[in-house]
Amino acid sequence: RTKVGVLISGTGTNLQALIDQARRPSSSAEIVVVVSNRPGVQGLKRAALAGIPTRVVDHKLFGSRAEFDSTINAVLEEFGVELVCLAGFMRILTGTFVRKWNGKLLNIHPSLLPSFKGVNAQKQALQAGVRVAGCTVHFVAEEVDAGAIIVQEAVPVLVGDTEDSLSDRIKEAEHRAFPSALELVASGTVCLGKDGHIEWK
Ligand code: GAR
């Protein structure tokens, strides 16, 4: 099975969906370590409850992005990680890190990319007045929230939606999209081609 490291910054509901997926006997993935840049977050408790080793790499304790990223990289290597999932990880990774993990680094974003990149994607969707929102799992490229798309799921925007109600609906979709994208990549069904586009085997 493919050894997976998950990077988080918070609640970890997506992490939980990945844990539940990787527990299935049919899964091609095994989560070997969870790394958080914030101490004490709920995602760390979820990992511990599932018996997965955890590490905190607090970005506030580092003088530069490069040092922070190389510490994360060292943890991933220590655990023999082959595939990395960013599950609500709210730090932007350096080009060096992204190039090192090219084709092995997945991110989930709460919009139908390429719409609404960056922070507050749900708020951006509400402000734009779109009637369809959703989530995207993609390979990470150096440009933020770009990179080849693996899975997307759409959800409706309903009359009276708030940022919270829309975020909750998107999260339900995320909890299906991320596990299925993980399986596609961990099983080798999908990979990142040399031209930066997705290849299906
Ligand atoms: C998710 O909605 C994810 O799409 C978003 O953070 C949330 C994490 O929730 N990620 C980003 O905005 C990345 N820029 P979780 O901790 O419950 O999985």
Side-chain angles (χ1 to χ4, degrees), residues 16-84:
Q16 189 66 58
L18 298 177
I19 289 172
D20 294 345
Q21 176 64 32
R23 273 197 181 131
R24 296 180 181 217
S26 61
S27 176
S28 301
E30 178 190 5
I31 301 174
V32 295
V33 65
V34 171
V35 184
S36 173
N37 67 303
R38 290 173 174 275
V41 294
Q42 199 188 337
L44 287 167
K45 297 190 186 94
R46 293 177 189 274
L49 263 173
I52 300 167
T54 63
R55 291 283 190 277
V56 174
V57 181
D58 186 343
H59 62 277
K60 291 179 186 147
L61 305 180
F62 293 85
S64 69
R65 270 182 206 284
E67 290 166 81
F68 171 72
D69 285 11
S70 76
T71 304
I72 293 201
N73 188 63
V75 172
L76 297 173
E77 285 184 342
E78 175 195 341
F79 284 90
V81 167
E82 300 162 290
L83 191 61
V84 182

Side-chain angles (χ1 to χ4, degrees), residues 19-197:
I19 289 172
D20 294 345
Q21 176 64 32
R23 273 197 181 131
R24 296 180 181 217
S26 61
S27 176
S28 301
E30 178 190 5
I31 301 174
V32 295
V33 65
V34 171
V35 184
S36 173
N37 67 303
R38 290 173 174 275
V41 294
Q42 199 188 337
L44 287 167
K45 297 190 186 94
R46 293 177 189 274
L49 263 173
I52 300 167
T54 63
R55 291 283 190 277
V56 174
V57 181
D58 186 343
H59 62 277
K60 291 179 186 147
L61 305 180
F62 293 85
S64 69
R65 270 182 206 284
E67 290 166 81
F68 171 72
D69 285 11
S70 76
T71 304
I72 293 201
N73 188 63
V75 172
L76 297 173
E77 285 184 342
E78 175 195 341
F79 284 90
V81 167
E82 300 162 290
L83 191 61
V84 182
C85 292
L86 308 181
F89 183 68
M90 304 308 269
R91 306 297 299 174
I92 292 170
L93 295 159
T94 55
T96 309
F97 186 97
V98 171
R99 280 191 296 273
K100 156 98 209 262
W101 290 95
N102 186 41
K104 307 284 170 201
L105 187 55
L106 275 55
N107 180 47
I108 187 147
H109 183 76
S111 78
L112 294 175
L113 290 172
S115 290
F116 313 131
K117 297 177 177 179
V119 289
N120 301 128
Q122 303 91 333
K123 190 177 180 182
Q124 292 182 53
L126 287 173
Q127 279 175 349
V130 294
R131 303 302 313 274
V132 178
C135 65
T136 303
V137 185
H138 62 96
F139 283 110
V140 175
E142 279 190 66
E143 190 192 328
V144 174
D145 296 332
I149 293 170
I150 305 161
V151 171
Q152 291 184 303
E153 187 173 324
V155 303
V157 180
L158 300 179
V159 174
D161 257 343
T162 61
E163 239 180 285
D164 278 349
S165 63
L166 179 57
S167 297
D168 288 349
R169 195 173 309 118
I170 291 173
K171 272 205 186 186
E172 284 179 29
E174 290 185 336
H175 300 161
R176 290 183 289 270
F178 212 167
S180 49
L182 174 61
E183 286 306 329
L184 286 172
V185 177
S187 66
T189 308
V190 162
C191 69
L192 183 63
K194 285 201 180 82
D195 61 356
H197 289 98

